[in-house]
Amino acid sequence: MSVRVSLVAAARSSSLLAERFDDDRPLDQAGWHEVQLAAQALVPLGAAELRYCSPTARSRATGEALGYAPMAQPALRDCDMGRWRGLTLSDVAAREPAAVDAWLADPRSAPHGGEPLLAFISRIGGWLDTRPACEGSIVAVAEPAVVRAALVYALGVPPSTYWNVDVRPLSIITLIGGPGRWCLRLEAGPR
């Protein structure tokens, strides 16, 4: 038996240029507005038998605004960025350019003192693989980084692919399968 898991990327909590590592700020005005605009398409996912979210403020708020009443899952937390937490990529690149290069080049490295990319992808994959098989579906609202990690894990592609996946706020991916055998399902758009 397989399970259907729809992952919804949380609405924004800042402009893309002001995004910070491992940030836990609540939704900003643009995020709330985006949720209102996308609600018609996203609310039906709330009919899922199991509804989860990342423990971040913006993931919880996105799930609540969509009427999901999600249960926070610690395993769906964003990547632990160690001493880079709260900084932008530009901030870190200016202070530690060699460390950023190492982090981007090697998925096992953690120059920030936090979680290596490979461990992050494996953690998210472990969460996916332990979802109960059910007749219905599961929905989870999570940080865009979590959605990217789930996609990389499910497709079994090299960890470096993570850097080539752009997950926009309120985008959805649907994975169908079970432990170690996931398929990406692309749905038809509005007609």
Side-chain angles (χ1 to χ4, degrees):
M1 182 175 270
S2 63
V3 63
R4 175 189 175 109
V5 179
S6 294
L7 295 159
V8 178
R12 74 178 68 221
S13 61
S14 63
S15 72
L16 291 178
L17 293 176
E19 280 189 11
R20 297 177 181 282
F21 288 120
D22 204 8
D23 194 5
D24 194 19
R25 288 184 286 178
L27 296 181
D28 65 7
Q29 278 303 109
W32 284 110
H33 182 70
E34 289 171 347
V35 170
Q36 291 171 344
L37 293 175
Q40 186 174 359
L42 296 175
V43 166
L45 293 173
E49 281 71 22
L50 298 171
R51 296 171 306 279
Y52 301 113
C53 68
S54 161
T56 62
R58 76 179 188 163
S59 293
R60 289 190 317 267
T62 300
E64 291 295 334
L66 294 170
Y68 295 172
M71 179 174 52
Q73 293 282 286
L76 289 178
R77 70 189 180 282
D78 206 345
C79 188
D80 176 358
M81 296 305 293
R83 71 175 179 278
W84 294 355
R85 179 183 162 91
L87 301 174
T88 66
L89 179 58
S90 297
D91 293 339
V92 176
R95 295 176 191 179
E96 303 178 51
V100 170
D101 290 345
W103 175 64
L104 293 172
D106 181 1
R108 289 177 176 81
S109 73
H112 43 63
E115 187 175 28
L117 178 63
L118 190 57
F120 173 54
I121 292 169
S122 295
R123 173 170 49 86
I124 300 305
W127 180 85
L128 267 177
D129 284 347
T130 57
R131 292 312 87 209
C134 60
E135 291 294 321
S137 58
I138 295 172
V139 66
V141 178
E143 296 302 310
V146 171
V147 176
R148 286 194 332 233
L151 187 58
V152 168
Y153 178 82
L155 295 178
V157 296
S160 61
T161 307
Y162 177 89
W163 305 117
N164 300 103
V165 178
D166 183 20
V167 177
R168 309 298 296 164
L170 299 172
S171 58
I172 308 163
I173 65 164
T174 301
L175 302 171
I176 298 177
R181 53 176 184 76
W182 293 96
C183 296
L184 172 64
R185 174 171 286 175
L186 299 175
E187 308 286 344
R191 295 173 193 234

